[in-house]
Amino acid sequence: MNDNQRAGAASPRASVSADTVIDAFALVRQGDFVQGEIPLVRLARAVEGLPEQPSGEAGLVRWSVRGEIGKGVIGASFASGQPLLHLHVQAHPVLICQRCNVPFAFAVDSQAVLQLVKSEDELDDDLSFDAQDPDVVDSLPEKVVGSHRFDLLAQVEDELILSIPYVPKHPVCPGAQAKDGDAQQAPATQRPSPFAVLEQLKRKD
């Protein structure tokens, strides 16, 4: 085994230029891990309706996907034996604050678990436990149809779209900070001290 083969055997990670169309079931079966990055502007559905996005490092979407056979540790025991993909997406898309109309970078750091099924008929299969329990329902992974030519970027883009708020807002708008600061300073400059007023009254007497 040469040095390159040893390096490849030591880590299952794919390079950032890795093919994003994969055999999803093989990834799960082998417990492999792939990762990559892509300019946000190349995800047309995600940036539709958004302002101009930055180039370079600030405009990258970073993602990783790990495959595994479920061991019953996610939500209910249904996960045991199920083919799962663990998806992680990070990005900083520029959005327009709907409160102050100023653009800002919104931090996306989202993780999701996808359960692979073999056909669309399985997407709506009834579950063997009480699906009315909201805690159980919230813990379920999303079912997606897996294939031997599975488009990872489509899943990355879907997760990014779901992570972008419908009505984006600053936690605190820059203009509001300035106004709050002015309001806090105003009483000190406009209102005389009550002790000073009392002192003046004493002197008049």
Side-chain angles (χ1 to χ4, degrees), residues 97 99-100 169-178 180:
C97 176
R99 189 160 42 203
C100 68
K169 294 178 182 178
H170 283 107
V172 178
C173 294
Q177 278 185 321
D180 290 345

Side-chain angles (χ1 to χ4, degrees), residues 1-164:
M1 181 180 290
N2 60 34
D3 291 342
N4 291 334
Q5 290 174 321
R6 289 193 186 94
S11 173
R13 297 191 175 194
S15 68
V16 295
S17 60
D19 188 357
T20 57
V21 177
I22 64 163
D23 184 335
F25 292 106
L27 185 81
V28 168
R29 187 170 59 252
Q30 297 164 10
D32 278 349
F33 174 94
V34 292
Q35 66 179 1
E37 55 189 36
I38 184 173
L40 180 58
V41 293
R42 288 181 53 189
L43 302 178
R45 290 186 296 122
V47 299
E48 184 178 0
L50 299 185
E52 183 177 356
Q53 298 300 309
S55 58
E57 197 76 9
L60 289 177
V61 178
R62 292 181 172 85
W63 57 268
S64 65
V65 177
R66 177 174 59 85
E68 75 161 354
I69 299 297
K71 300 178 180 64
V73 295
I74 302 172
S77 60
F78 80 95
S80 180
Q82 299 298 326
L84 304 174
L85 295 179
H86 296 262
L87 174 65
H88 188 191
V89 178
Q90 294 176 302
H92 289 82
V94 173
L95 311 178
I96 298 293
C97 176
Q98 298 303 295
R99 189 160 42 203
C100 68
N101 208 37
V102 172
F104 70 105
F106 179 79
V108 171
D109 189 348
S110 180
Q111 300 187 53
V113 181
L114 308 177
Q115 179 184 345
L116 297 179
V117 296
K118 294 182 179 179
S119 69
E120 292 186 0
D121 293 339
E122 297 180 65
L123 294 176
D124 299 318
D125 278 354
D126 292 330
L127 301 172
S128 59
F129 50 84
D130 185 6
Q132 301 303 313
D133 185 338
D135 292 333
V136 172
V137 172
D138 289 344
S139 70
L140 298 179
E142 178 187 354
K143 288 184 178 182
V144 295
V145 179
S147 73
H148 299 297
R149 290 192 56 79
F150 188 76
D151 188 353
L152 285 178
L153 281 188
Q155 303 303 320
V156 170
E157 187 168 23
D158 286 348
E159 188 62 26
L160 182 59
I161 291 171
L162 290 172
S163 301
I164 294 176

